[in-house]
Amino acid sequence: SNDLIKIGSRCNPSCDPETPILYTSAGMPVRIHMAFAGGTAVFPGVFNIHGHHWQEEPWVRDGSRLGFNSLSQNLGMEQMVPYQVLNALLDSAGGKDRVSGDYLYEMFRDNAQNGMWGLLRVQDISVVISQASTTQVAGSVMVKSGTTMPTSVTVTPASGTGCSATVNSSGSWSCSMSSTAGTKVTATTAQGGSYTATVR
């Protein structure tokens, strides 16, 4: 929870952790692809995403594609050995009730204490920046089922002049602006949701 994050001695302006945050909207299907490079065969890690489950074998078409496999069992955590790859297909971010909030994902116990954890941030309206260059900022907006798609996104740089972008029917948006590499830019909608990226 945010209260736990604020207890730490280091806190950025939004009190977000420095570990990875994965953004999505409530009810959206999510695919998390992870390769575990740590641990040992004697002390494997155990990966879990609080409040979510996934299929152990999400394979269809004779194992050639990822998808819903009616023969697979569901897992809420999975033991992983070094260099194992995991494809966690979540059928609904926020669980079956599509509950917005921050969900902890982690390599359980000792690995989590060493920084192997992050947040799955489930929002009613989720804004993502997929490109932040010195001349253009682009991204997408996802919304919880039943929520109206925002019509525009406002991009605000840490310094300088921002831009406004129209959100198209698929949720994509882009706008032109002049920024310096290393500058932070934040995309927001009037209805909620925000995302900050560094200009590259």
Side-chain angles (χ1 to χ4, degrees), residues 17 22 43 61 73-74 78 95 98 114 125 136 146 158 160 194:
L22 310 178
F43 299 105
R61 297 190 184 177
Q73 67 176 338
N74 288 325
E78 187 165 342
R98 304 178 298 170
N114 292 326
I125 298 175
Q136 185 180 41
S194 69

Side-chain angles (χ1 to χ4, degrees), residues 13 50 59 65 81 126 138 154 156 174 180 188-189 192 195 200:
H50 291 234
W59 302 102
R65 299 234 175 138
V81 296
S126 181
T154 301
T156 309
S174 66
T180 306
T188 59
T189 75
Y195 189 94
R200 304 287 182 203

Side-chain angles (χ1 to χ4, degrees), residues 127-166:
V127 181
V128 175
I129 296 174
S130 56
Q131 175 192 355
S133 70
T134 56
T135 58
Q136 185 180 41
V137 180
S140 60
V141 177
M142 298 175 288
V143 298
K144 179 179 180 177
S145 178
T147 302
T148 303
M149 178 70 76
T151 57
S152 64
V153 169
T154 301
V155 179
T156 309
S159 61
T161 304
C163 62
S164 182
T166 300

Side-chain angles (χ1 to χ4, degrees), residues 89-112:
L89 275 62
L90 312 181
D91 54 3
S92 175
K96 67 181 182 68
D97 292 325
R98 304 178 298 170
V99 178
S100 300
D102 286 346
Y103 293 86
L104 177 69
Y105 67 85
E106 61 179 336
M107 292 301 291
F108 188 59
R109 299 189 65 178
D110 294 342
N111 291 303

Side-chain angles (χ1 to χ4, degrees), residues 16 21-25 120-121 123 126-128 142 194-195:
D16 281 338
I21 300 176
L22 310 178
Y23 290 82
T24 189
S25 61
L120 174 64
R121 178 156 291 167
Q123 302 172 309
S126 181
V127 181
V128 175
M142 298 175 288
S194 69
Y195 189 94

Side-chain angles (χ1 to χ4, degrees), residues 74-94:
N74 288 325
L75 303 174
M77 59 177 53
E78 187 165 342
Q79 182 172 297
M80 298 185 69
V81 296
Y83 308 110
Q84 180 180 342
V85 173
L86 167 71
N87 289 289
L89 275 62
L90 312 181
D91 54 3
S92 175

